[in-house]
Amino acid sequence: MIYKFGGASVKDADSVKNLAEILRNRLRKNLIIVVSAMGKTTNGLESILAKKLQSEDFSENSANLKTYHEAICRDLFPPDHSVFAKLDNLFHQLENDLQKKLTPENYDEFYDQIVSFGEVISSRIVAEYLCSQELIVLWQDARAVIHTDSDFRFAKIDWTKTRKSCQSEWKPLLENFPILTQGFIGSDPKGKTTTLGREGSDFTAAILATSLDAGAVTIWKDVPGVLNADPKLFQNTKKFDELGYAEAAEMTYFGASVIHPKTIKPLANAGIPLYVKSFLDPEAAGTKIHEQASAHQVPTIVLKKDQVLVSFKVTDFTFIEEKHIHRVYEQLQTLKLRVNMLQLSAISISIVIDTQLFKLERLMANLREEFEIRYNDGLELLTILHPIVADIPVLLQGFEVLLEQASRNTFQVVRRKS
Ligand code: ASP
Ligand code: MG
């Protein structure tokens, strides 16, 4: 069994105490607990990197991050506890690594070395706290078993090697103790730290589940389960008691943030059920994602923010042909940009992509000679699965629509607050 606790479930001392209560009756051998960085730590580390890249002073940001973790520890531990020395040590290492040279060229590699501290620190604190509550867990470094390539920030899993390490190194440990480890991080063939993409801890849980033939994965969230819309953005949401793997995967594809998009596939292939449960109401059933779930037609709303609409217009008075599409896709692939929506007209290709540092500039630079390129940023991509047509106008009230696409089962618009 794998449990995954995300940033929100360890965001403060009370949350860590709550996590311990959830584990109190559930802790057993063969259990792996995967934790993310605490609260918004990853964003905090990203801001430090952004400042460093601009040669701005980031000392206040790193001091805040340290204060934040120390405050949590002061609430969880007596003042003479050894966790404080460990924390000092980790922040010392972080400060030291932050002194190294950062350029746009080594940004991705540098990013992984820095951002991974969030998970390492969090897992240390949580493991120490559990042990202090007589909930004995073994702290293990995920980088010892999660093997990836060297595609920093978007590292791909070496499944064979990962399975081998999990089986030889962790399986024997799990026969005696539960393991507590980090999500999101791995290591490349040289032993350098890599990360699996933002919010990748869910994926870690799935990787460990398949590599250890686990019976189930549970993701503990601040929502009652998988809902048909984000309750922070929409009213009258409905929880799914169960969902098929394909339906869940489709929702994540369009941007449902409740589960990381890469999580479903390995679990579906291995037939391992995924539970999404509330850490605020641990006894409640949540959502079970598995093969046999009955189909539903419940309208499901997914909103993806920070989108850019880019249009490529042919400049030579020809029409859009396959070669033009090919050229654009080739560049997107090189830059590892995924198209969230595509629309073709006679003379232009329009794509919607996530906003990512440097990427749009590079894309435009690489294709400037062949196309006239325009873009609009700060957009939202709204996807409705199984839409009820009459309900759509309400969702667009107060928004300007830049692009729209409908098929029988899916309705998508790119919108901007008007
Ligand atoms: N801490 C990482 C992030 O915020 C990974 C995760 O939370 O899953 O992206
Ligand atoms: Mg997170």
Side-chain angles (χ1 to χ4, degrees):
M1 170 70 102
I2 317 288
Y3 283 174
K4 181 262 173 170
F5 289 92
S9 63
V10 288
K11 69 175 193 299
D12 52 26
D14 283 343
S15 308
V16 177
K17 290 176 190 171
N18 179 60
L19 180 155
E21 281 322 301
I22 291 175
L23 289 176
R24 199 165 293 283
N25 303 315
R26 295 179 174 85
L27 205 64
R28 56 185 62 116
K29 59 184 191 171
N30 283 317
L31 173 70
I32 301 182
I33 303 142
V34 174
V35 298
S36 304
M38 293 180 149
K40 303 272 176 231
T41 298
T42 309
N43 292 352
L45 290 162
E46 281 190 347
S47 314
I48 291 177
L49 287 168
K51 285 205 162 169
K52 179 167 170 69
L53 195 60
Q54 306 295 327
S55 304
E56 286 169 26
D57 177 23
F58 56 81
S59 54
E60 201 182 314
N61 302 59
S62 54
N64 286 345
L65 216 48
K66 187 165 184 222
T67 313
Y68 165 66
H69 286 91
E70 274 171 353
I72 291 176
C73 287
R74 269 201 303 278
D75 204 332
L76 294 175
F77 302 95
D80 55 351
H81 196 280
S82 62
V83 74
F84 292 100
K86 286 184 182 140
L87 199 59
D88 261 350
N89 193 304
L90 285 166
F91 273 98
H92 204 78
Q93 285 179 44
L94 172 62
E95 289 297 336
N96 188 61
D97 284 0
L98 280 170
Q99 297 314 315
K100 296 178 184 166
K101 192 168 152 63
L102 171 63
T103 62
E105 286 67 43
N106 77 352
Y107 182 81
D108 288 355
E109 180 172 344
F110 199 99
Y111 176 102
D112 284 359
Q113 311 318 304
I114 297 301
V115 160
S116 51
F117 272 96
E119 266 65 17
V120 174
I121 293 167
S122 164
S123 64
R124 270 290 173 210
I125 296 172
V126 176
E128 293 285 342
Y129 180 69
L130 292 174
C131 290
S132 79
Q133 298 301 300
E134 275 152 42
L135 296 163
I136 305 303
V137 293
L138 288 180
W139 182 92
Q140 290 289 306
D141 195 322
R143 291 169 290 193
V145 296
I146 304 283
H147 301 290
T148 70
D149 64 6
S150 304
D151 194 358
F152 296 102
R153 286 182 72 199
F154 308 95
K156 273 169 234 53
I157 300 297
D158 181 334
W159 291 92
T160 313
K161 218 171 144 192
T162 298
R163 182 178 179 87
K164 225 168 149 185
S165 290
C166 282
Q167 292 287 335
S168 66
E169 282 163 51
W170 282 15
K171 195 153 196 152
L173 299 176
L174 286 164
E175 274 154 27
N176 296 302
F177 291 106
I179 284 178
L180 186 131
T181 194
Q182 313 78 36
F184 182 52
I185 66 175
S187 63
D188 81 347
K190 287 191 181 145
K192 276 236 155 203
T193 301
T194 54
T195 63
L196 310 180
R198 284 302 307 266
E199 307 302 331
S201 297
D202 295 349
F203 186 36
T204 300
I207 297 162
L208 293 172
T210 53
S211 302
L212 285 154
D213 310 307
V217 173
T218 302
I219 297 181
W220 297 91
K221 305 274 307 180
D222 56 358
V223 285
V226 180
L227 308 178
N228 71 329
D230 183 343
K232 291 179 197 103
L233 304 171
F234 300 95
Q235 289 171 344
N236 306 322
T237 53
K238 183 182 169 305
K239 176 180 80 81
F240 295 109
D241 294 334
E242 55 171 14
L243 276 175
Y245 290 122
E247 282 179 300
E250 189 180 33
M251 285 170 70
T252 66
Y253 173 85
F254 289 120
S257 61
V258 61
I259 316 161
H260 187 275
K262 286 186 181 160
T263 312
I264 307 288
K265 188 179 160 196
L267 296 178
N269 287 342
I272 300 172
L274 170 64
Y275 295 87
V276 179
K277 281 167 71 89
S278 166
F279 59 73
L280 302 167
D281 188 7
E283 298 304 326
T287 300
K288 180 178 184 181
I289 299 167
H290 63 139
E291 192 61 69
Q292 290 88 21
S294 46
H296 70 84
Q297 290 293 322
V298 179
T300 303
I301 306 172
V302 184
L303 189 70
K304 229 172 153 57
K305 294 191 172 174
D306 301 321
Q307 301 293 294
V308 199
L309 170 64
V310 196
S311 60
F312 303 87
K313 203 169 143 206
V314 280
T315 48
D316 55 2
F317 300 98
T318 59
F319 294 121
I320 291 290
E321 289 174 31
E322 199 198 51
K323 67 167 192 229
H324 298 118
I325 303 168
H326 184 77
R327 273 296 290 151
V328 173
Y329 266 78
E330 201 174 62
Q331 289 307 312
L332 290 166
Q333 200 176 14
T334 313
L335 293 166
K336 293 183 210 98
L337 281 165
R338 196 192 79 171
V339 177
N340 298 328
M341 186 171 165
L342 165 74
Q343 206 164 70
L344 302 176
S345 78
I347 54 164
S348 74
I349 303 169
S350 299
I351 57 162
V352 179
I353 53 177
D354 293 347
T355 303
Q356 276 189 44
L357 200 59
F358 313 128
K359 297 265 172 110
L360 182 61
E361 293 77 358
R362 285 186 194 160
L363 181 67
M364 299 209 302
N366 296 351
L367 291 166
R368 172 174 304 142
E369 318 243 296
E370 293 143 87
F371 301 96
E372 189 185 308
I373 308 172
R374 282 165 200 260
Y375 73 92
N376 278 290
D377 54 9
L379 309 177
E380 297 178 341
L381 173 60
L382 180 78
T383 303
I384 311 170
L385 303 167
H386 315 299
I388 296 174
V389 176
D391 293 347
I392 292 173
V394 182
L395 291 167
L396 299 178
Q397 251 164 40
F399 290 93
E400 176 194 350
V401 171
L402 289 92
L403 204 64
E404 182 177 313
Q405 216 163 64
S407 68
R408 201 160 54 88
N409 258 318
T410 316
F411 176 84
Q412 290 190 291
V413 288
V414 179
R415 67 181 199 181
R416 166 167 65 196
K417 278 224 165 64
S418 54

